[in-house]
Structures are given as structure tokens and as C-alpha cells.
Amino acid sequence: MSKQASLSVEPSRWTQFYALTKPRVVQLIVFCALIGMVLAVPGWPNADQWLHMALACLGIWLVAGAAAAFNCLVERHIDARMKRTSWRPTARGELSSQQALAFSAILCTLGALVLLLCTNPLTMWLTLATFVGYAVIYTVILKPATPQNIVIGGASGAMPPVLGWAAMTGQVGPEALILFLIIFLWTPPHFWALALYRVEDYRQSGLPMLPVTHGSEYTRLQILLYTVILFAACMLPFMYGMSSWLYLVVAVVLSVGFCVYAFALWRNYSDQLSRKTFRFSLIHLSVLFLALLIDHYLWLG
């Protein structure tokens, strides 16, 4: 019985550690990094380049997972007061602070080594700077101090395509900065749509999120303004010559859709509409970058 009990506990423990990495968030991070890698290669990648990309994605995944685990550790008491995050192992006390910290340190160290040995020092340092930006500057300093936390801290979340570009080229080009700008401008309306229908959670947590400090109407106006600016930024890949008409059509359709959601949310708020806006924002970024990828290879052909 004791053997069976220990076997049943072990997978559960690994599942708890895995949950600390925020898998869905990290998947989007790695996907955006991969797009940066692919766009940095002029033609169809050869076998060595595909292996290089796979190892770079692994390194980025490990460091991103480490940052997420550190975030769970720092915010464990806040997470425990919010319905959305109260299930996390650190919030429930299923994993100790020491375990979470050790797990984060191991992932970060492994990721840094993979990036240093298999990509280049620039990618490693940029990825570690992103870790510090999210896990320390955003989580520890900005998030509890200012309602503009997600705007300033969004720079860390916008780094994945820059990391991907650096992994393949050893430098940061203007194309990577355009991709950075798109994600940077996408982050506030994406996150504020979530914060609107989770406002009571954030009020109980004590975090100064924009809907808590400035109210729903002001937040909805900011979402609308950001989606309009984001619309313009999404045109830059076509204007700069990174993409062709296929991307442009997809970008216009997605950006119009995001603006329509934001306008409807501004005029007539409901939690249901806020949830739909949040979900559409995920579709917007994913499909936008997928369109860049498809367009890249069609354009080569």
C-alpha cells in the first residue's frame, strides 16, 4: 500500500511543479520566439537550423518557466486571495517556498546553459534580462506599486521574438523590434480586458490594477485607444517590407475585429463581453504571428 501511495503522489508532485511554469502562457511565449527565429532565416531552414531553433526554444522555455515559477512564489499570498489563482500549488501551500525557489533556479540555470552553449551569449543575456524584467522588476516592484504596471512591465512579455531573432542572427534587427512593438502594444488591452471582469479579485488582492484605481469606464477607454494604436503597429511589417498582401489582409481583419470588440466594450460593458474581448485578444496575436509565418514562406516562393 505504501508503494502504491508513493507512486500516486509522485506524478501529482510533478504536476504541481509543472503548473508553476504557467504552461499556456509559456507556450505563447515560445511560439512568438519561434516566429522570430523563422523570420530571421532568409530561406527554408536546413536541418542544422531546425535543430538550432529547437534548442533555442528549449532554452527560452526553461527560462520562461523559471520566471513563471518565481512569480508564483512571490505572489503566493496574493494568489491565495484570488479565485483565478487560488488553485496554484504555492497558493495552496502544496509546494513550499524553498521548493518553488529551487525549481525556478534549476530551470533558469539549465535554460541559460542551453542558450549559451547552443545559441549565443547575446540570446542568453537577453533572455536572462527578460527573466529579471518579469520576475523582479514587474512582479516585485511594479505590480504592487502602480496601475501602469502592465504597460511598463509589458516590455518583458514583448521580448520573445527579439530573443528568437537574436538566437538565429546574433543581433537585434529592426524587424525584431517591430515584432516587439506589436506585442508591447497588445499586452495592455489584452490584460485589462481580463482585469475588468476579475476586478473584485484584484480589489481583494490589494494590487493597484487599472480597473481598481481608475474605474471601469477609464479602463475601457484605454483599451479602445490601445487597440487603435495597435492597429497602426500591425501595419508595420507590411510597410517595412517584412510581409506581403496576405499578412496585410489578415492583420487588417484581426485589428478591425479587436477594435470592434474594444469599442463595444467601451460603449456598453458586460463581464461576458469583457471575457470575449480577452479571448479574442489571444486569437488576434496567435493568428497574426501565424500569418507572418505563412506569408514569409509564400513570399519566398
Side-chain angles (χ1 to χ4, degrees), residues 27-41 45 50 53 57 60 160-166 168 175-176 179 182-183 237 242 247 285-297:
Q27 285 168 12
L28 185 58
I29 289 171
V30 174
F31 173 71
C32 292
L34 178 62
I35 297 300
M37 295 176 203
V38 171
L39 294 180
V41 178
W50 280 120
M53 291 182 194
C57 285
I60 292 169
V162 178
L163 304 179
W165 193 277
M168 301 307 294
E175 298 90 345
L179 301 179
I182 290 172
I183 301 178
M242 290 173 59
Y247 167 80
L285 187 66
S286 301
V287 176
L288 188 81
F289 273 63
L290 182 61
L292 268 175
L293 175 62
I294 295 172
D295 185 278
H296 177 66
Y297 288 116

Side-chain angles (χ1 to χ4, degrees), residues 86-211:
S86 60
W87 60 271
R88 288 176 179 164
T90 42
R92 293 169 61 90
E94 295 168 346
L95 291 175
S96 69
S97 299
Q98 292 80 3
Q99 288 174 317
L101 182 60
F103 180 64
S104 176
I106 291 170
L107 288 186
C108 189
T109 302
L110 289 175
L113 286 173
V114 169
L115 293 173
L116 178 62
L117 299 176
C118 302
T119 58
N120 52 65
L122 176 63
T123 305
M124 182 197 70
W125 288 118
L126 286 175
T127 307
L128 289 178
T130 303
F131 173 93
V132 173
Y134 175 75
V136 180
I137 297 176
Y138 169 68
T139 301
V140 178
I141 300 173
L142 293 175
K143 196 170 182 180
T146 171
Q148 292 299 310
N149 46 30
I150 199 63
V151 178
I152 306 168
S156 297
M159 283 296 290
V162 178
L163 304 179
W165 193 277
M168 301 307 294
T169 65
Q171 60 184 3
V172 176
E175 298 90 345
L177 295 178
I178 288 174
L179 301 179
F180 170 92
L181 179 64
I182 290 172
I183 301 178
F184 180 75
L185 294 172
W186 169 89
T187 302
H190 159 75
F191 188 83
W192 286 333
L194 168 69
L196 278 171
Y197 70 85
R198 294 287 189 179
V199 63
E200 291 306 319
D201 260 1
Y202 286 113
R203 185 172 284 115
Q204 291 178 14
S205 73
L207 293 173
M209 295 302 176
L210 197 65

Side-chain angles (χ1 to χ4, degrees), residues 40 165 173 222 298:
W165 193 277
Q222 294 302 304
L298 290 179

Side-chain angles (χ1 to χ4, degrees), residues 16-58:
Q16 290 168 350
F17 278 117
Y18 182 63
L20 292 186
T21 65
K22 301 183 181 180
R24 287 187 293 180
V25 174
V26 171
Q27 285 168 12
L28 185 58
I29 289 171
V30 174
F31 173 71
C32 292
L34 178 62
I35 297 300
M37 295 176 203
V38 171
L39 294 180
V41 178
W44 183 261
N46 57 38
D48 288 340
Q49 288 171 326
W50 280 120
L51 177 60
H52 191 83
M53 291 182 194
L55 291 171
C57 285
L58 173 62

